[in-house]
Amino acid sequence: MPLEIVFFNPEIYPEEFQKCLSQLEPMEINIMGSKESCLELFPHLTFNSFSTLADYKHPLPLHAKLVSFILPSRGRFTSLMESLTHLKEMAAQPEQMELLIGMDFDDLASISQLTCLKSLNLDILVFIRDRGKGYLDIYHLLNQLSGLSQGEFLFFYTDDAEMKTLHWDQYLKNYHNKVCVLRPEAGHPFNIFPICSRKLFEWMEHISAHNAADTWIEDIADFLGFHLECPPIQIAHHTHLKNDPLAPFIESHQVDTYFQPSMNQIRYEDTQKIRIGIQKIIDGTRKADSEAYKDSLHLTAQFYGIKTYHLPLHFS
């Protein structure tokens, strides 16, 4: 899967969709939406279609990669390429990462350059959708990208970040098969580049219900006790939110909405779902250990000839 492109509900923005196609080199197109509507609007277009994220036929099997980068991008393609190039150059095994990039349909300057991503020789999926409310509902995009991911870990990244740690991916292997949220060092009081087990998305069925997704992930992990420091991984963030003229509005919106009762209720439900998921893992491990223990007892019994004398063996 060198480069896969998915359009989300293009029947909502047919004119803009046609403009997007005009900017792309001929390639296979995937559409998430109504197949009938798309065939009616775009009768001459050949495309693969699916109605939900679960229906998408991903070229890779689940957990085929160590890490999936979840990366929204808008209007900074040069910066995006630099960010991704650093990630690849600093990785010990770049073939173990996949990139899921979210773009807005009206970002034609970036869409026209998508084929440049092929030069990275990485597994990349670009998800193009209508902009909606922009940053204020970015959690929808993060949830969609997470649903399309195949990595064991989800690494929430930005198009203005620079990986500073050589062989950063080797540190992630220390957490293989563990449920956790990792906090790389980014010179920020909060975890702005969270790395989390994909299991969390599978259990919660989303990664966040609020645009402050990094805070959402951090708070749940803190509450459940698996928010872990990961200082060996260091990231430079070149464009901080405080340089954004919309920062005061965004920050006030987050404070006003994040602690609403409805949001608190969803976070509570998320923690309960994760607890149930973890308990199932524990129960499954106990059962596997129990079965292995029973097998070892049978072998021991046979070795000592107990079975030969027909002595009863009871295993609960």
Side-chain angles (χ1 to χ4, degrees):
M1 187 189 72
L3 178 61
E4 190 95 350
I5 296 181
V6 175
F7 284 93
F8 179 61
N9 287 347
E11 64 269 23
I12 297 174
Y13 50 95
E15 294 182 10
E16 291 82 358
F17 175 61
Q18 296 283 20
K19 290 178 183 177
C20 290
L21 292 180
S22 69
Q23 299 295 320
L24 292 171
E25 292 182 4
M27 64 176 66
E28 192 173 75
I29 298 296
N30 301 279
I31 290 178
M32 178 179 170
S34 169
K35 182 175 183 179
E36 293 73 19
S37 298
C38 290
L39 285 172
E40 184 177 338
L41 289 167
F42 320 115
H44 303 297
L45 180 66
T46 301
F47 59 90
N48 301 318
S49 67
F50 57 101
S51 55
T52 67
L53 292 176
D55 296 329
Y56 175 63
K57 305 300 182 186
H58 202 290
L60 302 172
L62 188 61
H63 294 176
K65 299 288 185 177
L66 173 67
V67 58
S68 301
F69 280 87
I70 309 299
L71 204 163
S73 180
R74 178 176 174 84
R76 294 192 293 212
F77 192 82
T78 300
S79 177
L80 173 67
M81 284 294 293
E82 291 173 354
S83 181
L84 300 182
T85 299
H86 283 132
L87 275 179
K88 180 180 179 180
E89 291 175 347
M90 301 299 274
Q93 295 178 291
E95 70 277 4
Q96 281 298 306
M97 56 190 268
E98 70 166 347
L99 309 171
L100 295 107
I101 303 169
M103 288 187 174
D104 300 326
F105 69 77
D106 60 347
D107 186 7
L108 295 179
S110 296
I111 291 171
S112 66
Q113 302 178 76
L114 283 182
T115 51
C116 296
L117 294 171
K118 292 182 179 180
S119 65
L120 295 170
N121 196 29
L122 295 170
D123 289 316
I124 302 174
L125 187 148
V126 180
F127 187 77
I128 301 174
R129 60 160 205 163
D130 61 298
R131 190 179 183 189
K133 297 178 182 177
Y135 180 77
L136 296 184
D137 64 359
I138 196 171
Y139 64 94
H140 288 306
L141 177 59
L142 299 179
N143 291 335
Q144 289 165 330
L145 294 177
S146 298
L148 292 166
S149 68
Q150 298 297 99
E152 179 182 356
F153 295 97
L154 304 181
F155 198 148
F156 294 87
Y157 214 64
T158 63
D159 60 10
D160 57 352
E162 179 184 355
M163 177 60 70
K164 307 295 286 186
T165 301
L166 184 64
H167 296 169
W168 55 268
D169 48 328
Q170 296 296 86
Y171 294 105
L172 289 187
K173 292 182 179 180
N174 296 331
Y175 301 93
H176 173 61
N177 279 341
K178 295 181 179 179
V179 177
C180 58
V181 172
L182 303 178
R183 175 176 177 160
E185 176 55 50
H188 194 280
F190 301 110
N191 189 356
I192 58 174
F193 295 106
I195 307 169
C196 72
S197 310
R198 192 184 189 278
K199 283 288 184 186
L200 300 185
F201 170 81
E202 295 170 13
W203 291 331
M204 297 189 297
E205 299 180 313
H206 60 232
I207 213 63
S208 178
H210 190 274
N211 60 294
D214 49 359
T215 306
W216 190 282
I217 297 168
E218 182 177 20
D219 284 351
I220 287 176
D222 280 338
F223 184 77
L224 292 173
F226 54 70
H227 189 204
L228 309 176
E229 297 286 338
C230 195
I233 300 180
Q234 297 188 351
I235 302 168
H237 193 200
H238 293 304
T239 308
H240 192 270
L241 184 63
K242 293 189 182 299
N243 299 325
D244 191 328
L246 292 176
F249 169 71
I250 291 172
E251 291 178 348
S252 64
H253 175 270
Q254 291 184 171
V255 172
D256 291 343
T257 59
Y258 188 80
F259 295 105
Q260 288 181 350
S262 60
M263 292 290 104
N264 293 336
Q265 178 64 28
I266 297 173
R267 279 192 294 279
Y268 169 76
E269 292 170 357
D270 283 350
T271 59
Q272 294 303 102
K273 291 175 182 176
I274 292 171
R275 279 174 166 160
I276 292 171
I278 291 174
Q279 189 60 49
K280 286 181 178 178
I281 289 179
I282 293 172
D283 292 345
T285 302
R286 285 175 177 165
K287 183 177 180 181
D289 289 345
S290 176
E291 293 296 328
Y293 181 58
K294 282 196 275 185
D295 289 343
S296 68
L297 282 179
H298 278 296
L299 290 172
T300 303
Q302 291 178 31
F303 179 78
Y304 285 110
I306 295 175
K307 199 172 183 181
T308 305
Y309 296 100
H310 306 289
L311 297 178
L313 295 173
H314 300 290
F315 302 99
S316 57

